[in-house]
């Protein structure tokens, strides 16, 4: 009997090994169902199946480079869906706790087991951590050193009144252009030169390239020796072996259902500021159509066909050859990547785009010199309250039917553009240099061609005597010179904008019929640690709740004006802090700065988006924030938890705007997606270095990790 039991046990053990092997191979016992355009299998390491790691497939057999990325399930299984059947892919594995695996070449229609390699030590594992984990190692000057006492005191600039002013300076002036903590910034590249110290190296580093003057000014704004010393100590510690103390979590739950599709576009110096797929008011518009993008750095109009996997670039025109480029045409110090070669030339300096009902792409874009205002600007009715002596950017639109660009000469400044859901198809733009919000009635423009009649603008005024109109002799102009973003309210006719500064910044509501305005600052009390600051992005949900990314404090914030208990106009409503009850701050996930009071995330939220129409599949009115320093988009789910949609490759996913499109409302997850793009100023900071191209990214959420 004992012998029979032993034989049975051995047989069962062998059967278990055979079953496990069959399952890992996707064999007959429990195969992963695939179609002819899928690849599936199991990822295993010396520890067994690897759950929550990325399987990356990339090919250059398509007209532009294509990548598909998925996440393994809790048994290490994966399925790459909807691959071009005539392409051969290089397939490999990346995951936290691993080092990148060797690539395996395969064609669709196969089951493919993949071997993962466990990282030999913490430093090897940390190489692929998001930038914010590395940036969390930096030491912010202690709270007691503020306000700064200048060069004869503690070396911190007096303008740095609190620790949070310092954080805002390094985020709003560094992270705004590129990640901080990626390999390109946490290490001193050999190509930069040889230096006596890291301080000296950083003093040179912040002056390199066409953005060198701006970077140098940023460090001087901190108090130059103190700023350089902070960055130098950071890179010295990393060079000596310091690594983030806590690794990022692998994707969990719904995060494992993510499917990423990526198309390269642009060139080696493309600064792809934004992408556009559809009409924000009608996400089924332009279904399966082109994905558009704008290259700020070289005036490129980027187009990807997601069905044919093609990419092309048109030149955005200027009408006056005397229009100067926006980027500096000198380098204080040669670039370690480009040497003395100038890589940006951008007279059109196109920033952002929106789609109208006809599929035309309207852009904030320059085509004449800012000072060459039309004669009607001085006598326009809007000039009585807000004279406009210059227009840094005007408006152009691209008509996909004719493939031509059309210019619209306006008096006000534009930066971001958004359409209202009204019969006039009104396009709103924000004045990043004028402090005004302007608009174009595109119905009137199309019907009459009268540019003066079709436009108007406002600077917001506090209505101190509460009579519903603006009298400059009585009422007070809202103190703001920069309105960074704009969104029309869906129902009450107002327009909202976000003003990042001065600290803590504010969101502004303007009635375009009267120019009566309101201003609301996020809660900012450093003594208690309740701090929200630097609104940049702005959007609105279907209920009229305003959402804004508080970029420097690391929050996605909502503001519900209906909750305000006090007056909305009059002298009592001018402080900005008069409706704190309207605010809710949602701290984003990820590491925090050490020694800083308040829930201040290291991550940077460049902008934000509200998915009003369930384009992603999480439901209606789901707010998203950019994880600009964490290689991710961040979705705030209805239950209040965050869904981290990580882009693991190439490292350096730096998103600005995003939008959502429904190609087919009846196609389940395959008919819905959110889109964003790699938008750093310096695309060569991405993994791969100089020659790596920007890409547009399609995010889809399937019901489970093996859905096809």
């Amino acid at each position: 009997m004992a012998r029979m039991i032993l034989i049975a046990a051995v047989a069962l053990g062998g059967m278990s090994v055979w079953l496990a092997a069959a399952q890992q191979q996707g064999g007959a016992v429990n195969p992963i169902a695939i179609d002819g355009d899928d690849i599936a299998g199991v990822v295993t390491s010396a520890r067994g199946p690897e759950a929550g790691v990325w399987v990356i497939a990339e090919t250059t057999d398509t007209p532009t480079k294509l990548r598909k990325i998925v996440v393994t399930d809790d048994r290490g299984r994966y399925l790459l869906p909807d691959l071009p059947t005539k392409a051969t892919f290089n397939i490999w594995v990346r995951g936290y706790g691993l080092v990148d695996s060797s690539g395996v070449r395969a064609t669709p229609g196969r089951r493919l087991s993949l071997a993962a390699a466990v990282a030999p030590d913490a430093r090897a594992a940390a190489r692929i951590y998001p930038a914010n984990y590395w940036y969390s190692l930096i030491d912010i000057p202690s709270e007691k050193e503020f306000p700064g006492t200048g060069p004869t005191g503690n070396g911190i600039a007096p303008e740095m009144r609190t620790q949070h002013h310092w954080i805002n300076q390094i985020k709003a002036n560094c992270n705004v252009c590129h990640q901080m903590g990626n390999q390109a910034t946490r290490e001193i590249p050999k190509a930069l030169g040889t230096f006596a110290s890291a301080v000296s190296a950083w003093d040179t580093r912040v002056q390199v390239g066409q953005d060198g003057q701006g970077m140098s000014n940023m460090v001087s704004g901190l108090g130059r020796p103190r700023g350089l010393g902070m960055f130098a100590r950071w890179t010295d510690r990393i060079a000596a072996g310091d690594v983030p103390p806590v690794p990022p979590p692998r994707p969990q739950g719904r995060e494992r259902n993510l499917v990423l599709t990526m198309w390269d576009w642009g060139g080696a110096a493309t600064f792809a500021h934004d992408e556009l797929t559809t009409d924000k008011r009608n996400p089924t518009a332009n279904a399966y159509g082109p994905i558009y993008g704008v290259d700020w750095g070289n005036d490129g109009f980027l187009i990807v066909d997601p069905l044919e996997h093609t990419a092309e670039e048109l030149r955005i025109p200027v009408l006056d050859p005397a229009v100067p480029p926006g980027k500096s045409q000198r380098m204080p110090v040669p670039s370690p990547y480009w040497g003395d070669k100038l890589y940006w030339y951008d007279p059109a300096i196109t920033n952002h785009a929106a789609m109208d009902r006809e599929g035309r792409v309207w852009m904030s874009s320059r085509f004449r010199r800012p000072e060459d205002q039309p004669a009607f600007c001085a006598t326009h009715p809007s000039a009585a309250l807000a004279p406009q002596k210059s227009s840094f950017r005007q408006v152009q639109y691209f008509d996909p039917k004719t493939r031509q660009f059309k210019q619209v000469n306006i008096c006000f400044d534009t930066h971001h553009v958004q359409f209202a859901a009204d019969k006039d198809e009104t396009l709103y733009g924000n004045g990043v240099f004028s402090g005004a919000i302007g608009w174009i009635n595109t119905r009137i423009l199309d019907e009459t061609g009268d540019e003066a009649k079709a436009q108007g603008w406002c600077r917001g005024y506090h209505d101190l005597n509460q009579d519903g109109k603006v009298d400059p002799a009585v009422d007070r102009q809202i103190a703001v010179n920069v309105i960074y973003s704009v969104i029309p309210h869906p129902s009450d006719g107002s327009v909202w904008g976000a003003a990042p500064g001065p600290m803590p910044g504010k969101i502004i509501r303007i009635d375009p019929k009267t120019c009566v305005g309101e201003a609301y600052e996020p809660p900012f009390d450093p003594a208690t640690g309740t701090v929200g600051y630097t609104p940049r992005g702005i959007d609105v949900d279907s209920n009229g709740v305003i959402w804004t990314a508080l970029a420097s404090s690391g929050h996605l914030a909502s503001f519900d004006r209906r909750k305000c208990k006090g007056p909305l106009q009059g002298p009592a409503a001018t402080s900005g802090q008069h409706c704190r009850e309207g605010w809710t701050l949602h701290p984003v996930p990820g590491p925090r700065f050490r020694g800083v009071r308040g829930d201040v995330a290291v991550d940077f939220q460049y902008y934000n988006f509200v998915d009003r129409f369930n384009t992603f599949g999480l439901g209606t009115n789901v707010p998203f924030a950019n994880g600009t320093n964490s290689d991710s988009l961040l979705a705030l789910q209805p239950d209040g938890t965050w869904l981290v949609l990580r882009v693991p490759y190439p490292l350096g996913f730096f998103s600005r705007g995003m939008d959502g499109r429904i190609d087919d409302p009846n196609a389940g997850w395959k008919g819905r997606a959110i889109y964003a793009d790699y938008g750093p100023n310096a695309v060569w900071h991405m993994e791969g270095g100089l020659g790596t191209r920007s890409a547009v990214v399609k995010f889809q959420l399937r019901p489970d990790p093996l859905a096809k």
Side-chain angles (χ1 to χ4, degrees):
M1 179 64 72
R3 185 171 179 272
M4 291 176 63
I5 291 173
L6 178 61
I7 292 172
V10 171
L12 286 172
M15 179 67 73
S16 298
V17 171
W18 178 81
L19 282 169
Q23 288 170 349
Q24 289 177 12
Q25 295 294 330
V29 173
N30 187 21
I32 302 169
I34 62 172
D35 295 327
D37 58 358
D38 305 329
I39 296 176
V42 178
V43 176
T44 57
S45 71
R47 301 179 299 202
E50 290 284 353
V53 300
W54 293 283
V55 176
I56 299 166
E58 52 188 337
T59 184
T60 56
D61 290 346
T62 44
T64 192
K65 189 171 187 177
L66 175 70
R67 301 181 187 92
K68 186 86 75 169
I69 302 176
V70 298
V71 189
T72 58
D73 70 3
D74 58 358
R75 295 163 61 186
R77 300 177 299 175
Y78 73 92
L79 187 146
L80 290 157
D82 303 329
L83 302 170
T85 56
K86 295 182 180 180
T88 299
F89 288 83
N90 184 51
I91 302 174
W92 53 283
V93 178
R94 167 169 285 181
Y96 300 139
L98 306 176
V99 293
D100 293 345
S101 72
S102 300
V104 178
R105 293 182 62 79
T107 53
R110 288 191 57 188
R111 295 187 177 90
L112 181 68
S113 293
L114 296 170
V118 177
D121 53 49
R123 189 168 182 82
R127 190 190 68 81
I128 62 166
Y129 289 179
N132 60 326
Y133 279 78
W134 287 97
Y135 204 32
S136 70
L137 297 176
I138 206 163
D139 286 323
I140 306 298
S142 68
E143 189 177 30
K144 65 183 180 182
E145 293 196 75
F146 295 93
T149 55
T152 60
N154 64 6
I156 295 174
E159 293 79 10
M160 301 294 103
R161 298 200 301 273
T162 70
Q163 204 177 43
H164 298 286
H165 286 77
W166 180 284
I167 292 171
N168 183 60
Q169 179 79 350
I170 65 173
K171 279 188 156 192
N173 294 283
C174 293
N175 278 136
V176 73
C177 292
H178 53 76
Q179 287 187 340
M180 290 298 295
N182 58 5
Q183 187 174 5
T185 58
R186 69 177 182 256
E187 298 177 359
I188 303 296
K190 292 181 179 179
L192 188 65
T194 302
F195 303 93
S197 68
V199 169
S200 181
W202 270 96
D203 192 33
T204 297
R205 165 181 253 175
V206 298
Q207 300 179 65
V208 303
Q210 288 180 250
D211 275 344
Q213 188 62 59
M215 292 191 294
S216 186
N217 291 344
M218 184 286 302
V219 175
S220 294
L222 295 168
R224 195 173 188 90
R226 288 299 301 269
L228 293 173
M230 178 189 71
F231 288 116
R233 287 189 298 275
W234 175 54
T235 51
D236 275 346
R237 288 200 313 273
I238 290 172
D242 205 0
V243 297
V246 179
R250 287 185 177 182
Q252 303 289 328
R254 276 179 166 171
E255 294 167 355
R256 294 180 179 176
N257 301 347
L258 184 64
V259 178
L260 301 173
T261 308
M262 304 166 61
W263 299 268
D264 275 10
W265 60 0
T270 291
F271 170 17
H273 191 280
D274 253 318
E275 58 71 40
L276 178 71
T277 66
T278 189
D279 182 344
K280 184 178 176 70
R281 304 156 301 173
N282 174 23
T284 60
N286 194 41
Y288 294 110
I291 303 168
Y292 300 105
V294 291
D295 172 9
W296 180 331
N298 287 291
D299 291 352
F301 187 71
L302 311 173
I303 306 173
V304 158
D305 184 328
L307 301 181
E308 300 297 327
H309 311 300
T310 60
E312 63 174 316
E313 182 173 347
L314 307 177
R315 181 79 178 179
I316 300 171
V318 293
L319 302 185
D320 182 354
V323 175
K327 291 287 191 182
S328 171
Q329 295 302 293
R330 60 178 295 271
M331 296 185 182
V333 174
S335 164
Y337 299 90
W338 295 91
D340 291 318
K341 180 183 178 181
L342 296 174
Y343 39 85
W344 287 324
Y345 187 77
D346 59 339
I349 198 168
T350 307
N351 178 81
H352 185 249
M355 187 176 291
D356 69 12
R357 292 170 187 158
E358 298 179 21
R360 297 179 297 184
V361 179
W362 294 70
M363 298 166 283
S364 56
S365 181
R366 187 161 66 186
F367 56 85
R368 61 165 173 84
R369 293 185 301 175
E371 65 272 20
D372 291 342
Q373 294 282 70
F376 64 74
C377 294
T379 58
H380 193 282
S382 295
L385 293 178
Q388 301 290 295
K389 295 182 179 181
S390 67
S391 169
F392 182 74
R393 285 189 189 89
Q394 300 83 48
V395 168
Q396 303 195 56
Y397 66 80
F398 173 78
D399 188 338
K401 296 176 183 177
T402 64
R403 291 177 63 85
Q404 298 296 313
F405 295 90
K406 172 70 175 177
Q407 293 75 37
V408 183
N409 212 352
I410 57 172
C411 306
F412 58 91
D413 190 19
T414 60
H415 189 64
H416 290 91
V417 289
Q418 300 284 1
F419 277 102
D422 60 14
K423 62 181 178 60
D424 291 322
E425 192 88 340
T426 305
L427 180 73
Y428 286 94
N430 55 287
V432 74
F433 295 112
S434 67
I437 284 177
W439 58 89
I440 302 170
N441 184 318
T442 64
R443 178 187 61 80
I444 291 177
L445 184 66
D446 286 340
E447 291 175 358
T448 69
D450 190 331
E451 293 174 324
K453 184 178 179 181
Q455 68 180 280
W457 61 90
C458 276
R459 284 201 64 150
Y461 279 76
H462 292 295
D463 184 10
L464 297 183
N465 62 1
Q466 303 180 63
D467 63 355
K469 57 185 179 181
V470 171
D471 179 353
V474 176
D475 301 317
R476 184 194 309 166
Q477 194 175 91
I478 294 173
V480 61
N481 292 319
V482 174
I483 300 178
Y484 185 79
S485 53
V486 65
I487 193 69
H489 193 280
S491 59
D492 70 7
S494 66
V495 185
W496 291 73
M503 283 273 284
K506 55 179 70 73
I507 58 173
I508 298 170
R509 179 185 188 270
I510 294 178
D511 180 349
K513 294 179 180 179
T514 64
C515 296
V516 170
E518 303 165 16
Y520 302 95
E521 296 178 354
F524 183 70
D525 187 0
T528 65
T530 301
V531 287
Y533 46 96
T534 320
R536 285 182 61 86
I538 199 162
D539 207 346
V540 62
D541 67 23
S542 301
N543 302 311
V545 176
I546 302 297
W547 290 83
T548 181
L550 302 181
S552 294
S553 63
H555 298 86
L556 181 59
S558 63
F559 180 78
D560 191 343
R561 183 172 175 264
R562 298 168 298 182
K563 294 181 179 180
C564 296
K565 298 176 181 178
L568 302 178
Q569 291 295 341
T574 61
S575 70
Q577 291 282 323
H578 58 289
C579 184
R580 292 183 64 164
E581 63 272 16
W583 289 92
T584 304
L585 305 186
H586 304 273
V588 301
R592 270 52 184 156
F593 287 114
R594 299 181 291 195
V596 173
R597 190 199 302 258
D599 198 357
V600 177
V602 178
D603 203 357
F604 183 75
Q605 282 58 62
Y606 190 98
Y607 214 80
N608 61 282
F609 167 73
V610 177
D611 184 7
R612 288 193 285 157
F613 302 103
N614 192 27
T615 60
F616 190 58
L618 291 175
T620 58
N621 291 317
V622 172
F624 285 71
N626 300 91
T628 306
N629 212 41
S630 65
D631 295 326
S632 66
L633 299 182
L634 307 170
L636 186 60
Q637 299 180 101
D639 65 359
T641 60
W642 289 99
L643 195 68
V644 179
L645 308 173
R646 195 87 73 189
V647 180
Y649 173 77
L651 294 172
F653 176 61
F654 183 105
S655 58
R656 296 175 187 262
M658 67 186 96
D659 71 344
R661 185 169 79 185
I662 300 175
D663 290 323
D664 184 349
N666 300 314
W669 70 272
K670 290 191 175 185
R672 299 170 183 270
I674 295 285
Y675 297 80
D677 78 293
Y678 282 77
N681 289 34
V683 68
W684 47 92
H685 281 189
M686 289 167 52
E687 182 179 7
L690 185 62
T692 301
R693 295 166 62 198
S694 179
V696 63
V697 186
K698 180 180 183 179
F699 296 75
Q700 292 178 288
L701 192 70
R702 49 187 174 178
D704 64 77
L706 300 182
K708 60 185 179 63

